[in-house]
Amino acid sequence: MKKSQIAFCALLALCAAGRVHSAPADVEARVEATLARLTFDEKLGQLWQFSGGQPSEAASSDRSKGTLDPKFLEAVSAGRYGSVIGKRGLENYNAIQRAAMDGIGIPLLIGHDMIHSATTTYPIPLALACAWDESLWERTASAIAVETLALGCNWTFTPMLDVALDARWGRIAEGGGCEPLVTGLMGAAMVRGFQGADMSDGFHIAACAKHYVTYGASFGGRDYNAVEMADSTLRDVYLPPFKMAVDAGVATVMPAFHSYNGVPCSMNSYLLRDILRKELGFDGMTISDWSAVRELLNHGVAGNKADAAVLALNAGIDMEMVSDCYVTTLKAAVDSGRVSMKTIDDAVRNVLRVKYRLGLFDRPTLDAAALANAIDPAANRALARECARKSCVLLKNDDGALPLKKGVKVALLGDLAANEWQMLGCWSTRDLSNFANATLLAGLKADGVDVNYVEAYTLTGRVDLAAVEAAACGADIVVAAFGDYWENSGEGNSSAILELKGDQMKVAEKVKSLGKPLVAVVFGGRPMAFPDLAKTADAILMAWNPGGCGGWGLADVLTGLAEPWGRLTVDMPYATGTCPLYYSRTTTGRPAAITANHPFGHRYTSCYNDAPFVALYPFGYGLMYTTVEYSGEKAVVEGDSVAFSADVTNTGAREANELVQVYVRDEVARIARPRRELKGFKRVALRPGETKRVEIKVPVASLGYTVDGRYAVEPGGFSAWIAPDSDSGRNLHFEISAK
Ligand code: GLC
């Protein structure tokens, strides 16, 4: 049974049984021995991640070649920092660790946001999620880990496991989308990739599950904003991906900036101790987000830095990122009894435990030659190209506009089509070596396309319609870049307008007025609202931010060298006003439906009067260059699992890589349940005309929900769909009988 078939809770149970921590066996004894010899100030030093100490500006543009300030190294040697943030290059990494080992004898965690790139840049996480491919996710994280070490870091602040239902939230770009199962599987795969089977082997790094927890539910999709929600929603939607990461052995966890039911995550002992430590069994270390401890003053829950330090440490934050509340106030807090010495010691234990598990004491410095031998830049670029192929999603393809036919003359338009920088996305490390020539123009040329590039317009600025016309008239088909700049997504980029900016639609309408086929390639770090483009273009490829080989991977799909593979892990809205928009909505007491007579839904049902309440393109959706049919769908309860099966036939003339999805609904429950929830999926390859019987087993244990703090599967009737996306499929029924 493939891992991705295993449904949620059963997988959680399995992971817990096989938690990955193949660290040196004597970790606890060594932690205690180290703790015992530390002074109070040295203990406090372990609880601080310092952001200074960057290399001086070097002669070259690469700061990692710069030299470190001797005063910084003296402080390292004295044990003033348990960690520093930022990449400084391998040589400087070794200088820092030597200073630490020559002095206090405790190496540092050196962390950085190697989210989807180190020297090679892969597609943004939201794009990678659309590959629905655990092996790809793990391989990508593993490749990033080695490059991260070569850049002088041993810790990355990812995977981001925030389930995101609201496209207005810019950080939707950084995670797996709106579905806990996909987000959790991707997160666990990335933890395995970053940390490996043995985190101390010198080729892996510590990962960090963030932002714990419910950050994606910030009111209004506005970054850092408050979250209010029922405990059952926390437990059934937002917590599961973190449980999967903990069960995969994630070394560290980072709480989120926001308040959860009034209590900021940075001081929320219910979340950090009761759930994370006691229920999930997490035994790594926690680190605050950037100055989030100091921000407790802004939340209005701490009157000064001393209060903030006491609240955060007592709630369970081991290390403080950047702000200095801990190191400047905790001595007085211990003297006054506001914080116990045991609390301090336990936090230091957690930090030391990660350092021992990471093998830092046994291998404080990095072996440049061994790392260089372990990095194959060409293989990493090939992997980045494979990721770009599998991350893009074909949303429309009328009249076989795609794949581009051999010998066809293509007019390529738009600034994004020739801008490699715009392929990278938020949180890319943007090292020049990795994305030169990554454009769609370069990719189409490399794939032998007769392409004439004319910029003609920018996304938000001028549109030269005469140039659009001239280029289009000289070609058989137009490929045009639409969407948004990556700088408008990611952290601190909540948007109240998801519709296409500027005069992009004028370009599309001009091309269509000339009777030319239009292929729209949409770039950006979030779902956007483009219903007009969906009507006007003949084909639409959702490209996201495809990374340092993005243009090449996209061109492979556009030319048919690669079949379209991606499926959406978010819902694409008709309008900003319909957000948050997610397939797993409840039906309400007045279920709405789109009909010919009611294109937005009947007035007295749960809908809008000016836009469809459903997705323009739903979760799970994505086209191929062939078609498939489902038949003989069955749901059969077999002991502790339900076997879902169907015949899937490739009814077209090209290879199919169909993603068969299983959705379930509890028909009558104690609380309103989603209209559909993903419970499993399986990719199946089909030659033209081939039929395969596909079976996906879902443990009964995954069909429950939480109410009054207790998770249970209730006997009764269930609906199910075996389908290519979250909106289609025939309705099946099965019964779960009382035990
Ligand atoms: C940022 C982000 C967090 C990141 C950290 C370090 O503010 O919230 O995701 O890992 O600071 O850069």
Side-chain angles (χ1 to χ4, degrees):
M1 179 191 295
K2 279 187 61 171
K3 187 173 285 265
S4 51
Q5 297 172 23
I6 297 171
F8 226 25
C9 292
L11 180 60
L12 302 188
L14 281 175
C15 292
R19 185 164 299 181
V20 173
H21 268 323
S22 61
D26 56 355
V27 165
E28 294 313 315
R30 298 175 77 181
V31 165
E32 292 307 317
T34 303
L35 180 68
R37 66 175 175 78
L38 296 182
T39 67
F40 182 80
D41 285 346
E42 289 168 343
K43 289 178 182 177
L44 284 196
Q46 289 302 304
L47 306 184
W48 189 22
Q49 180 179 67
F50 180 61
S51 68
Q54 292 294 344
S56 60
E57 283 302 327
S60 75
S61 62
D62 178 356
R63 291 184 60 183
S64 65
K65 304 248 184 318
T67 54
L68 296 172
D69 182 336
K71 289 197 179 351
F72 165 67
L73 291 175
E74 280 167 27
V76 166
S77 191
R80 290 197 47 213
Y81 321 125
S83 172
V84 291
I85 182 170
K87 54 186 182 3
R88 294 170 175 78
L90 190 145
E91 292 313 316
N92 285 326
Y93 174 101
N94 285 344
I96 290 169
Q97 302 294 32
R98 277 192 290 270
M101 296 310 282
D102 293 347
I104 187 172
I106 302 178
L108 275 70
L109 287 167
I110 301 182
H112 192 69
D113 295 283
M114 303 299 198
I115 307 298
H116 58 100
S117 83
T119 308
T120 305
T121 297
Y122 299 87
I124 57 170
L126 182 61
L128 264 177
C130 293
W132 296 62
D133 186 334
E134 290 178 79
S135 159
L136 188 71
W137 296 330
E138 186 169 337
R139 285 186 287 133
T140 303
S142 179
I144 292 172
V146 187
E147 288 190 347
T148 295
L149 289 165
L151 290 171
C153 297
N154 54 32
W155 182 20
T156 182
F157 305 124
T158 202
M160 192 190 105
L161 301 176
D162 303 311
V163 171
L165 311 184
D166 196 329
R168 294 173 295 177
W169 189 51
R171 306 201 75 166
I172 195 170
E174 302 174 42
C178 72
E179 170 49 49
L181 178 56
V182 174
T183 300
L185 287 171
M186 182 161 103
M190 294 181 80
V191 167
R192 294 193 299 270
F194 284 126
Q195 298 186 174
D198 175 6
M199 195 163 61
S200 65
D201 67 5
F203 298 100
H204 290 91
I205 59 177
C208 181
K210 72 182 189 184
H211 305 80
Y212 184 73
V213 63
T214 74
Y215 192 4
S218 304
F219 279 132
R222 185 154 49 86
D223 214 351
Y224 318 116
N225 202 5
V227 169
E228 304 272 347
M229 78 170 56
D231 193 67
S232 54
T233 306
L234 164 71
R235 291 174 176 282
D236 292 347
V237 178
Y238 294 91
L239 208 47
F242 285 91
K243 179 164 179 26
M244 291 174 78
V246 168
D247 290 336
V250 70
T252 67
V253 169
M254 181 192 295
F257 285 116
H258 66 275
S259 61
Y260 173 76
N261 293 342
V263 181
C265 297
S266 301
M267 53 171 274
N268 196 311
S269 59
Y270 172 62
L271 298 176
L272 290 168
R273 292 195 187 281
D274 298 349
I275 295 181
L276 183 62
R277 298 284 181 185
K278 291 176 188 156
E279 287 188 37
L280 302 191
F282 176 65
D283 69 351
M285 65 167 267
T286 57
I287 181 166
S288 76
D289 204 334
W290 189 285
S291 285
V293 174
R294 178 76 175 69
E295 288 181 10
L296 293 177
L297 280 73
N298 302 336
H299 280 285
V301 292
N304 51 53
K305 286 166 66 172
D307 290 351
V310 168
L311 288 165
L313 186 73
N314 283 339
I317 288 200
D318 298 319
M319 184 180 279
E320 181 177 8
M321 181 187 281
V322 175
S323 53
D324 61 357
C325 302
Y326 281 20
V327 290
T328 58
T329 71
L330 282 177
K331 180 141 185 43
V334 170
D335 293 346
S336 65
R338 295 179 75 190
V339 168
S340 72
M341 200 59 228
K342 181 180 184 308
T343 302
I344 298 273
D345 286 346
D346 286 346
V348 177
R349 283 186 177 95
N350 293 335
V351 174
L352 294 175
R353 186 176 302 115
V354 170
K355 293 184 175 183
Y356 274 110
R357 284 176 173 167
L358 196 47
L360 296 185
F361 285 87
D362 301 324
R363 185 190 291 113
T365 56
L366 296 172
D367 180 340
L371 288 169
N373 288 337
I375 293 171
D376 180 342
N380 288 348
R381 286 182 65 81
L383 177 59
R385 183 170 182 170
E386 178 188 357
C387 288
R389 288 178 172 179
K390 292 186 170 180
S391 301
C392 59
V393 184
L394 183 62
L395 299 177
K396 181 179 181 184
N397 188 26
D398 284 0
D399 308 325
L402 291 174
L404 297 170
K405 291 160 185 59
K406 281 239 177 295
V408 72
K409 282 185 177 306
V410 172
L412 179 66
L413 306 179
D415 59 338
L416 260 62
N419 183 327
E420 54 211 20
W421 176 265
Q422 283 299 322
M423 299 298 101
L424 303 183
C426 61
W427 291 112
S428 69
T429 48
R430 296 186 287 280
D431 291 85
L432 203 55
S433 60
N434 75 356
F435 65 92
N437 210 20
T439 64
L440 181 54
L441 173 59
L444 288 171
K445 283 183 175 172
D447 285 350
V449 175
D450 177 358
V451 56
N452 168 38
Y453 173 67
V454 177
E455 181 179 275
Y457 65 95
T458 64
L459 296 184
T460 52
R462 60 171 182 75
V463 172
D464 181 344
L465 290 179
V468 170
E469 180 163 353
C473 290
D476 303 316
I477 188 167
V478 174
V479 177
F482 297 97
D484 198 359
Y485 297 113
W486 71 254
E487 290 90 345
N488 295 327
S489 62
E491 182 177 2
N493 273 296
S494 299
S495 298
I497 300 170
L498 299 178
E499 283 69 19
L500 295 180
K501 297 178 171 65
D503 290 328
Q504 299 178 49
M505 275 312 296
K506 284 184 182 169
V507 174
E509 285 147 10
K510 167 59 80 180
V511 171
K512 290 309 290 173
S513 71
L514 299 167
K516 295 288 181 181
L518 171 63
V519 174
V521 181
V522 182
F523 294 94
R526 60 165 20 109
M528 285 162 269
F530 46 78
D532 296 341
L533 185 64
K535 284 194 198 110
T536 308
D538 298 276
I540 300 178
L541 185 68
M542 189 67 209
W544 310 111
N545 299 126
C549 293
W552 298 58
L554 297 177
D556 293 345
V557 173
L558 291 171
T559 58
L561 278 174
E563 298 299 324
W565 176 280
R567 302 293 189 278
L568 292 174
T569 61
V570 284
D571 291 273
M572 307 294 276
Y574 274 94
T576 308
T578 65
C579 294
L581 174 74
Y582 46 99
Y583 83 94
S584 52
R585 58 186 179 271
T586 55
T587 54
T588 79
R590 296 205 173 185
I594 307 292
T595 63
N597 298 330
H598 300 286
F600 300 148
H602 187 282
R603 177 175 178 188
Y604 294 106
T605 61
S606 184
C607 63
Y608 300 97
N609 61 13
D610 52 5
F613 70 98
V614 296
L616 175 62
Y617 299 107
F619 173 85
Y621 176 85
L623 298 177
M624 298 175 285
Y625 289 145
T626 186
T627 50
V628 293
E629 275 178 11
Y630 288 58
S631 59
E633 295 91 335
K634 280 187 182 163
V636 179
V637 180
E638 296 172 348
D640 61 358
S641 63
V642 185
F644 296 93
S645 60
D647 287 333
V648 183
T649 302
N650 181 347
T651 52
R654 291 178 67 108
E655 293 289 322
N657 54 54
E658 178 65 356
L659 184 76
V660 181
Q661 302 153 46
V662 170
Y663 295 91
V664 171
R665 181 192 186 198
D666 188 338
E667 290 171 352
V668 179
R670 294 170 58 198
I671 56 175
R673 302 295 298 134
R675 63 181 267 277
R676 289 197 190 197
E677 279 186 300
L678 181 74
K679 291 299 176 185
F681 56 88
K682 181 175 184 179
R683 184 81 66 172
V684 60
L686 295 166
R687 292 187 307 279
E690 185 178 15
T691 296
K692 282 182 184 172
R693 184 85 187 156
V694 179
E695 180 176 83
I696 296 172
K697 284 202 173 178
V698 171
V700 169
S702 73
L703 304 180
Y705 58 93
T706 299
V707 64
D708 301 334
R710 200 172 68 81
Y711 177 89
V713 178
E714 291 178 340
F718 287 78
S719 295
W721 298 262
I722 305 169
D725 63 59
S726 59
D727 264 357
S728 52
R730 294 185 187 82
N731 189 333
L732 302 172
H733 176 83
F734 65 92
E735 295 280 337
I736 297 295
S737 53
K739 287 272 185 198

